[in-house]
């Protein structure tokens, strides 16, 4: 028998739940962005409705992690892995919430023309999706190099966000009538930027599990 | 500044041709609870019994080399009187082993053979020591009863009291809870925590969780080598050595 078979099985179960959450969070962001591009209100509504699935997954991770600590007393890497599962679950749940924020803004914009900002937002969204993929992959494979790259990706996303706000402010100055729509676009940009921050949090957990040290990749 | 209660240098221990400890250099910190963990046969019990030279009394062909400095002296030197040494270094074993005498006599035994004669003084020592071992309230009305009538956990606390009665500097504990039920075990662990600071406690345990719960420093011994000594919180959350990690996470042993 493999040593500590029960612990191994429980850790694998948590790993699979995180993978499921990753898929749900990715889909939520992806679909909220599609809803934005196509001004598809039905799709936006479905993103909002499905968020409770992620909430349930996060509750599962919490419950299973508590059980595995109570019954299996993991130590060293195993213990750090369990703590990382709990934290990553929180980040993925928050990414889901941010997708909901985007979707809500889409419903507020209600099919108005996105002016020239659609393309820049689309780029930000695609970059955020790439960050989710890389953060989750680095966490699954505990690839430190891949995890560290998230810092640069996040800096780039932050830059795009600043540029976007700058542009939106200029528009608002030129034509006050568009202000409500511009505000929603600013919210969306903010949500996408925050998704990037949660991705760096996930990568920080890779470093915690592998090296037992705390890093700040979002400075 | 932390001082070492024991300082071993290139300590080697062999039973005949069977080398059990392969040269350990280690400063054991004074006033701390130090736990020694490792798989069966790694030499942790032998190491412990060498610190009070009990290993010499238990085996004829034991060979000790290197040095163990305690109170400024190398105790492996022939001029050391083992009886005197054990007054300063108490020991508690796996099975509670009270003498088949009264509770009072068990605790008074050590001080008496070390020269305390006055009944009044002995009474005081017995009371103080039983208080220290958190047994006084349970036995104060039946000090003349046989120690063998106590529960396992009480007997073990009595053995700790007996060891403390000679006012030692060190308490060696060789798996002190392995014969006890979980509640008595927690009682002994609680007591060990309370002894911290007043005594240097060195504990050999098979239960890693026990080392994690009660000790300040944990040492991992494997095949006669000291693989790692570290702060307990560090050793169980992020050990320095790969072999320690593999052992405590259950990958071998």
């Amino acid at each position: 028998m493999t040593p500590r078979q029960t612990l191994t099985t429980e850790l694998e179960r948590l790993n699979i739940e995180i993978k499921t959450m990753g898929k749900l969070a990715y889909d939520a962001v992806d679909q909220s962005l599609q809803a934005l591009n196509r001004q598809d209100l039905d799709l936006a509504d479905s993103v909002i409705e499905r968020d409770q699935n992620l909430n349930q997954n996060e509750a599962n991770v919490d419950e299973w992690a508590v059980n595995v600590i109570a019954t299996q007393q993991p130590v060293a890497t195993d213990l750090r892995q369990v703590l990382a599962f709990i934290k990553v679950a929180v980040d993925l749940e928050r990414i889901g919430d941010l997708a909901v924020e985007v979707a809500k803004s889409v419903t507020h914009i209600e099919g108005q023309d996105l002016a020239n900002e659609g393309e820049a937002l689309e780029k930000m969204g695609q970059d955020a999706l790439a960050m989710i993929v890389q953060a989750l992959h680095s966490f699954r494979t505990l690839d430190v190099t891949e995890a560290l790259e998230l810092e640069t990706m996040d800096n780039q996303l932050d830059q795009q966000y600043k540029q976007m706000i700058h542009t939106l402010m200029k528009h608002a100055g030129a034509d006050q009538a568009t202000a409500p729509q511009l505000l929603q676009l600013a919210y969306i940009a903010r949500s996408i930027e925050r998704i990037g921050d949660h991705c760096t949090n996930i990568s920080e957990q890779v470093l915690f599990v592998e090296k037992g040290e705390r890093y700040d990749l979002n400075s | 500044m932390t001082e070492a209660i024991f300082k071993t240098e290139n300590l080697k221990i062999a039973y005949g041709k069977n080398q059990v400890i392969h040269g350990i250099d280690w400063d054991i910190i004074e006033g701390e609870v130090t736990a020694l963990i490792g798989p069966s046969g790694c030499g942790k019990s032998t190491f412990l019994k060498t610190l009070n030279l009990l290993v010499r009394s238990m085996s004829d062909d034991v060979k000790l080399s290197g040095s163990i400095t305690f109170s400024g002296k190398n105790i492996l030197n022939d001029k050391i009187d083992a009886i005197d040494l054990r007054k300063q270094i108490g020991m508690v074993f796996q099975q509670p082993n009270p003498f088949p005498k009264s509770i009072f006599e068990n605790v008074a035994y050590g001080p008496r053979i070390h020269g305390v004669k006055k009944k009044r003084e002995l009474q005081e020592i017995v009371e103080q020591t039983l208080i220290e071992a958190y047994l006084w309230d349970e036995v104060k009305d039946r000090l003349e009863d046989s120690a063998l009538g106590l529960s396992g956990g009480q007997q073990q606390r009595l053995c700790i009291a007996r060891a403390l009665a000679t006012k030692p500097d060190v308490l060696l504990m060789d798996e002190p809870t392995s014969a006890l039920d979980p509640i008595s075990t927690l009682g002994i662990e609680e007591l060990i925590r309370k002894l911290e600071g007043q005594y240097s406690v060195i504990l050999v345990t098979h239960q890693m969780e026990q080392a994690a719960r009660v000790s300040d420093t944990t040492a991992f011994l494997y095949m006669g080598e000291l693989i790692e000594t570290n702060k307990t919180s560090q050793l169980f959350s992020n050990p320095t050595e790969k072999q320690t990690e593999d052992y405590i996470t259950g990958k071998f042993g």
Side-chain angles (χ1 to χ4, degrees):
Chain A
M1 193 178 100
T2 327
R4 307 216 62 176
Q5 186 60 54
T6 311
L7 176 61
T8 309
T9 309
E10 289 298 308
L11 292 178
E12 188 48 33
R13 180 159 81 133
L14 281 160
N15 214 350
I16 290 168
E17 193 71 354
I18 290 291
K19 205 168 159 182
T20 307
M21 287 188 78
K23 174 94 174 71
L24 289 171
Y26 178 92
D27 287 348
V29 174
D30 186 33
Q31 286 169 18
S32 70
L33 292 169
Q34 284 182 36
L36 172 68
N37 278 337
R38 304 205 301 256
Q39 293 295 296
D40 183 338
L41 300 187
D42 289 340
L43 188 56
D45 282 339
S46 88
V47 169
I48 297 166
E49 270 168 37
R50 274 177 296 156
D51 185 52
Q52 52 185 318
N53 293 338
L54 262 177
N55 297 349
Q56 182 55 50
N57 291 120
E58 190 206 359
N60 289 346
V61 169
D62 274 3
E63 187 189 327
W64 299 349
V66 166
N67 284 345
V68 79
I69 291 170
T71 60
Q72 301 298 316
Q73 291 105 34
V75 292
T77 305
D78 295 338
L79 177 59
R80 298 202 302 276
Q81 179 85 62
V82 173
L83 294 180
F85 284 139
I86 298 171
K87 292 201 163 187
V88 169
V90 171
D91 283 308
L92 290 172
E93 192 275 330
R94 288 289 296 133
I95 289 174
D97 289 346
L98 290 164
V100 167
E101 290 302 314
V102 172
K104 280 183 184 163
S105 288
V106 171
T107 61
H108 288 310
I109 293 170
E110 271 189 286
Q112 295 173 51
D113 185 18
L114 292 178
N116 300 322
E117 277 28 89
E119 220 168 274
L121 271 180
E122 165 79 12
K123 166 88 171 81
M124 279 186 77
Q126 290 308 318
D127 287 358
L129 284 174
M131 285 182 75
I132 297 178
V133 171
Q134 180 149 343
L136 288 170
H137 187 263
S138 72
F139 185 69
R140 197 158 55 243
T141 56
L142 295 176
D143 185 328
V144 170
T145 314
E146 222 180 51
L148 286 169
E149 285 168 8
L150 264 288
E151 186 174 20
T152 314
M153 295 171 88
D154 188 49
N155 288 341
Q156 285 165 358
L157 192 60
D158 289 351
Q159 280 307 318
Q160 294 179 61
Y161 170 65
K162 278 183 194 144
Q163 183 58 47
M164 172 67 73
I165 293 301
H166 184 70
T167 313
L168 292 175
M169 293 290 281
K170 270 206 297 199
H171 286 322
D175 179 4
Q176 298 225 331
T178 58
Q181 189 208 9
L182 295 175
L183 193 59
Q184 293 305 328
L185 293 180
Y187 284 157
I188 292 171
R190 175 73 182 153
S191 294
I192 297 173
E193 186 273 327
R194 291 290 297 141
I195 288 170
D197 294 342
H198 287 288
C199 291
T200 59
N201 289 351
I202 293 172
S203 318
E204 285 166 10
Q205 293 308 311
V206 176
L207 298 159
F208 176 63
V209 174
E210 274 299 281
K211 295 173 179 281
E213 292 164 18
R214 313 236 44 120
Y215 283 76
D216 187 3
L217 296 179
N218 182 24
S219 49
Chain B
M1 190 61 194
T2 48
E3 289 197 17
I5 183 86
F6 287 104
K7 188 180 181 66
T8 78
E9 280 172 293
N10 197 23
L11 176 65
K12 292 181 181 169
I13 308 171
Y15 294 113
K17 284 182 181 160
N18 181 19
Q19 187 85 28
V20 182
I21 296 289
H22 301 275
I24 287 184
D25 295 295
W26 185 15
D27 288 5
I28 301 178
I29 297 169
E30 184 169 10
E32 278 198 349
V33 177
T34 301
L36 211 53
I37 60 168
S40 295
C42 71
K44 54 190 191 297
S45 226
T46 295
F47 179 87
L48 193 76
K49 287 172 191 146
T50 304
L51 295 178
N52 66 352
L53 299 179
L54 188 63
V55 74
R56 273 192 186 142
S57 318
M58 293 173 80
S59 165
D60 288 337
D61 61 351
V62 69
K63 290 193 189 74
L64 307 175
S65 70
S67 69
I68 302 175
T69 310
F70 173 73
S71 287
K73 286 182 191 149
N74 176 10
I75 61 169
L76 299 187
N77 191 305
D78 290 334
K79 287 173 198 141
I80 292 290
D81 176 18
I83 305 296
D84 271 352
L85 182 71
R86 286 174 209 153
K87 180 173 181 288
Q88 296 169 71
I89 307 176
M91 189 156 189
V92 175
F93 300 87
Q94 201 165 349
Q95 285 288 344
N97 55 352
F99 301 135
K101 293 169 180 281
S102 71
I103 294 167
F104 182 94
E105 283 305 319
N106 264 275
V107 183
Y109 189 85
R112 191 176 274 141
I113 61 168
H114 286 290
V116 181
K117 294 277 188 310
K118 290 185 191 144
K119 177 91 177 164
R120 186 71 185 274
E121 202 178 330
L122 282 172
Q123 277 171 340
E124 217 159 88
I125 291 173
V126 169
E127 178 173 345
Q128 279 314 309
T129 315
L130 286 171
I131 289 171
E132 213 175 358
Y134 290 86
L135 191 57
W136 177 250
D137 287 342
E138 292 161 58
V139 300
K140 63 183 175 198
D141 300 324
R142 46 176 173 142
L143 291 175
E144 296 310 321
D145 290 3
S146 167
L148 301 179
L150 296 172
S151 74
Q154 288 172 327
Q155 288 189 12
Q156 194 64 310
R157 275 180 284 152
L158 181 66
C159 292
I160 293 172
R162 186 176 65 191
L164 297 180
T166 60
K167 304 261 169 268
D169 301 311
V170 181
L171 194 58
L172 306 178
M173 302 181 119
D174 192 1
E175 296 181 42
T177 63
S178 61
L180 302 181
D181 65 82
I183 300 295
S184 306
T185 296
L186 289 177
I188 298 291
E189 289 181 1
E190 197 66 16
L191 173 56
I192 295 172
R193 290 305 316 162
K194 286 178 172 141
L195 297 176
E196 186 222 352
Q198 307 163 62
Y199 301 91
S200 303
V201 178
I202 303 165
L203 166 78
V204 161
T205 177
H206 265 312
Q207 290 173 272
M208 281 186 287
E209 298 81 4
Q210 180 165 72
R213 283 193 295 264
V214 306
S215 70
D216 303 294
T217 292
T218 298
F220 171 52
L221 211 65
Y222 183 59
M223 293 174 77
E225 312 264 4
L226 189 61
I227 305 297
E228 176 169 354
T229 61
N230 215 329
K231 289 239 158 288
T232 297
S233 56
Q234 178 74 26
L235 190 130
F236 285 101
S237 62
N238 191 16
T240 307
E241 301 297 327
K242 171 86 169 62
Q243 273 176 301
T244 314
E245 163 91 27
D246 287 349
Y247 178 67
I248 63 173
T249 57
K251 294 198 177 73
F252 76 89

